[in-house]
Amino acid sequence: MIINMISSGGGSVPTQTKTATPSSTQQTVTPDTGYLLSQVTVNAIPYTETLNGAGGYTVTIG
Amino acid sequence: MATYTILPSSFTAGSGTVSNPDRAYTDTSSATYASVTVPNAGNMYLGGFDFSTIPSGYIISAITVKIKWRKNSGQADYYAKLIGKSSGTDVALSSDLTSQYPMATSTFTLTESAATVASYASTLAINFRSSSGSPQGRIYGVEVIVTADKPPVNKVVYGGTTLVDLTSDTVTAADVLSGATFHLASGAQDTGTCNYNCNTSSDTTTAADVLSGKTFHLADGNQSTGMCSYNCDTSSDTATAADVASGKTFHLANGAQATGTASGTMSSTSATGSSVDCLSLSFTNLSCEPSWFAVVITSNYNYDYAPYVCSIVYDGATTQVRAYVAGNRDAGGVYPVATVTVAYSNGTLALSNPEDQGDYIYFGNATYTLYYM
């Protein structure tokens, strides 16, 4: 439907970019209404290391 | 594992002097130097080592401290020592180094562990002192080389769920069998040192089987205390069934229970002397070793060959020999010191050498009857 609008009307559809950050659950990136996604940036998997009281590191993912 | 080189940043002259102190705030590759006049008071310090470059929590495994220095030509020796401060008092962390000429790079011999030296990080310093006078010298640079390891990961959380968590573990090397590897709460790998290694799970011992008061371990591994009051050693006992009254139970040397067979009735057997001057007599096929016996002459007396044995009585403790004197068979008489050798072995009772104060008393060729129990 979007393609038909471009070929008949000659006007441009506004685009947008989005950013997603991985998590432990699935997610779907969709454009807002009236927009096309021109770019999706996927951030690195969140990963932190924190020194804990037992003398080691706690690794937290996501 | 990472290496960090830490340089000094402060030079306290104390009662000595320091020229161009900043030239000493470098490592031992430097060709420039701070000039010093070292006091005898021991209050000259080169310190200000900043350990903050080492990430927090890192485990320091080794420290090496080097100094490039010298005394000036013709000057007396002066000394350098690594110290830390505790309540304002110097704590020695190395043995002394002695200045040299020409310049040299010396390595301090640490007298404490790397962890201990690192604990004095904020007060760590090189202390310079002379033994007398104020010798002059040069300090080109000092470097503290620290080897540190990033602590291991001991807990993993994914999406809010803890997947692995060693932080609350209490196991120590003493809890793990010797040679077996495991991980501490910190995540570091270690090796067990416990030498206790036995499997009691199939043991059947109960408290009733163990002597009273003695401790042992049950099949479940728990310690228990024996309750058995039986405690005797039969291993050297020599009693046999023939030695014990019939029907009475007793224990053999091997610990097994047995029943006596001794009839308790008197038995008898006979033996005859081999010649007129016979001094020995053997009674064979005895059913047991006599606990008492009596030997009496029963036939073939030899009135003319005297003295000869009339009777021998053994009461279990002493032997009495009664003998006849020649020519008077009724004379009899107990010889108060008469003796006879008695020996028993394998069913044979042997009597020999009856005598009275050195004089033989003969069995002759008479026949004797042995009564025994």
Side-chain angles (χ1 to χ4, degrees), chain A residues 5-47:
Chain A
M5 285 177 63
I6 293 174
S7 62
S8 64
S12 61
V13 175
T15 61
Q16 65 176 168
T17 63
K18 285 199 172 179
T19 301
T21 299
S23 71
S24 59
T25 57
Q26 187 182 56
Q27 56 186 307
T28 302
V29 180
T30 57
D32 297 335
T33 301
Y35 287 86
L36 287 173
L37 277 176
S38 63
Q39 178 176 285
V40 175
T41 300
V42 179
N43 290 330
I45 299 172
Y47 175 96

Side-chain angles (χ1 to χ4, degrees), chain B residues 28 65-69 97-100 104-109:
Chain B
T28 56
V65 183
K66 296 182 179 180
I67 181 171
K68 183 177 179 181
W69 63 330
L97 288 177
T98 304
S99 61
Q100 301 174 59
T105 298
S106 306
T107 301
F108 287 89
T109 300

Side-chain angles (χ1 to χ4, degrees), chain B residues 245-331:
Chain B
S246 177
K248 299 297 183 181
T249 57
F250 68 106
H251 284 77
L252 297 168
N254 64 5
Q257 191 180 58
T259 302
T261 59
S263 63
T265 58
M266 186 170 61
S267 301
S268 65
T269 186
S270 298
T272 302
S274 59
S275 64
V276 294
D277 55 357
C278 177
L279 291 171
S280 64
L281 201 63
S282 292
F283 297 91
T284 60
N285 298 316
L286 273 63
S287 61
C288 65
E289 180 174 4
S291 58
W292 74 266
F293 66 82
V295 176
V296 294
I297 191 168
T298 54
S299 66
N300 203 25
Y301 316 139
N302 188 336
Y303 301 141
D304 297 327
Y305 206 90
Y308 57 89
V309 176
C310 169
S311 66
I312 297 173
V313 176
Y314 175 71
D315 63 359
T318 59
T319 305
Q320 266 191 349
V321 180
R322 190 178 180 91
Y324 276 116
V325 179
N328 185 353
R329 69 175 181 178
D330 295 323

Side-chain angles (χ1 to χ4, degrees), chain B residues 48-70:
Chain B
F49 296 97
D50 183 6
F51 277 61
S52 65
T53 55
I54 303 172
S56 177
Y58 269 48
I59 301 169
I60 294 175
S61 57
I63 293 181
T64 301
V65 183
K66 296 182 179 180
I67 181 171
K68 183 177 179 181
W69 63 330
R70 78 169 209 191

